[in-house]
Amino acid sequence: MVEKSVPEDIKNMSFEDALHELESIVDGLEQGAGKLDEAIGVYERGTFLKHHCEAKLREARERVEQINVGPDGSISAEPTEIE
């Protein structure tokens, strides 16, 4: 199987824009509109969008920190475990 590279327009999308397009793709595929070849191309784009959204969520998760205040009033931050 030949792996295709992620299109530049997807790489530059925000999470929200990618998710919105992915939702539109899913809706279209569920309705069964279009020809098989078109559906396969749209499905492939949806796969790229899904991976892009997952990567954006991982990045956000890594950036989120939990702020802790100690008994003495000291403040510290550490990565938050989000599942």
Side-chain angles (χ1 to χ4, degrees):
M1 180 176 163
V2 176
E3 185 148 339
K4 296 181 181 180
S5 61
V6 177
E8 283 300 315
D9 67 318
I10 291 176
K11 287 180 184 179
N12 296 323
M13 282 183 161
S14 69
F15 171 81
E16 293 79 9
D17 290 342
L19 184 60
H20 178 71
E21 184 176 341
L22 180 57
E23 289 171 341
S24 295
I25 286 173
V26 170
D27 289 343
L29 289 173
E30 286 178 344
Q31 293 175 10
K35 297 179 181 180
L36 180 59
D37 288 342
E38 293 169 356
I40 291 170
V42 169
Y43 179 85
E44 288 175 345
R45 183 164 175 84
T47 300
F48 287 130
L49 289 163
K50 176 183 174 280
H51 291 298
H52 178 71
C53 287
E54 289 170 342
K56 289 286 190 186
L57 287 173
R58 270 192 307 278
E59 290 171 15
R61 187 178 311 130
E62 290 169 2
R63 294 177 59 196
V64 173
E65 295 182 327
Q66 179 178 357
I67 298 172
N68 298 311
V69 179
D72 61 352
S74 63
I75 299 175
S76 65
E78 59 186 54
T80 302
E81 293 183 25
I82 302 172
E83 295 187 32

